[in-house]
Amino acid sequence: MKIAVDDLSGPEIARFLADHVEQMRSLTPLESKHALHLDSLRKPEITFWSAVDGDSLVGCGAIKRLDTNHAELKSMRTRPTRQRSGIASQLLEHILSEAEDMGFTRLSLETGSGEFFLPARRLYEKFGFRRCEPFADYQHDPNSTFMTKAL
């Protein structure tokens, strides 16, 4: 599997992210959905990676700079047919390393609190993320779980 920075210009990543946003909308009330659309991911404060296995896009993830020391993990997704195959772990390990190399000392995230998101929360816990209070512009929300990790 190859993980590389993606400029988000290809049609495959556009479809992949559209599917992600659609799935999040089906699982989470609109006011609690924080998945970013393609245009929002093209901002200068965001670095986006795609994971490709052979010719197939199998995952993605991004970080958004919040300040000089703190970034937010965004848009983690594994192709549904490839879930639980280690892709998310490899991608998260890569992003954590890159975030450290960029000089961040903290990485935080928001994920869902429902049963569907339990595997994601377990993955983040496995990598040392711990629950925290809302950060940045987030507010308390029963549909959200906030987690953070010192790098």
Side-chain angles (χ1 to χ4, degrees):
M1 184 173 74
K2 180 183 174 195
I3 301 170
V5 171
D6 191 330
D7 67 4
L8 300 168
S9 62
E12 187 177 14
I13 191 62
R15 282 190 305 276
F16 193 78
L17 290 168
D19 290 346
H20 175 59
V21 169
E22 184 178 321
Q23 183 180 36
M24 293 304 101
R25 280 191 175 157
S26 75
L27 296 166
T28 307
L30 189 56
E31 67 274 8
S32 298
K33 184 203 68 77
H34 303 290
L36 296 177
H37 292 276
L38 189 60
D39 288 339
S40 297
L41 289 166
R42 289 185 173 134
K43 295 190 176 181
E45 65 270 18
I46 294 181
T47 303
F48 188 94
W49 292 270
S50 287
V52 178
D53 187 12
D55 292 332
S56 179
L57 175 65
V58 295
C60 66
I63 55 173
K64 176 182 178 183
R65 177 182 298 276
L66 300 175
D67 62 38
T68 56
N69 299 313
H70 191 191
E72 178 182 3
L73 181 65
K74 298 293 291 181
S75 300
M76 281 284 295
R77 178 174 175 82
T78 300
R79 183 170 297 284
T81 58
R82 298 290 300 272
Q83 288 177 341
R84 303 195 195 16
S85 66
I87 291 166
S89 290
Q90 290 178 56
L91 190 54
L92 184 54
E93 189 173 307
H94 180 85
I95 291 171
L96 287 168
S97 175
E98 291 288 314
E100 278 190 75
D101 289 349
M102 293 173 171
F104 294 114
T105 58
R106 178 160 303 282
L107 191 61
S108 299
L109 63 91
E110 179 277 337
T111 191
S113 60
E115 188 68 26
F116 174 85
F117 299 96
L118 182 59
R121 293 193 305 270
R122 286 184 176 150
L123 172 73
Y124 299 135
E125 288 170 351
K126 175 180 146 186
F127 278 84
F129 285 87
R130 298 296 172 248
R131 290 177 189 250
C132 66
E133 291 296 309
F135 59 93
D137 295 330
Y138 290 106
Q139 302 295 316
H140 284 279
D141 182 337
N143 296 301
S144 291
T145 298
F146 302 98
M147 302 178 86
T148 194
K149 173 184 175 61
L151 301 177

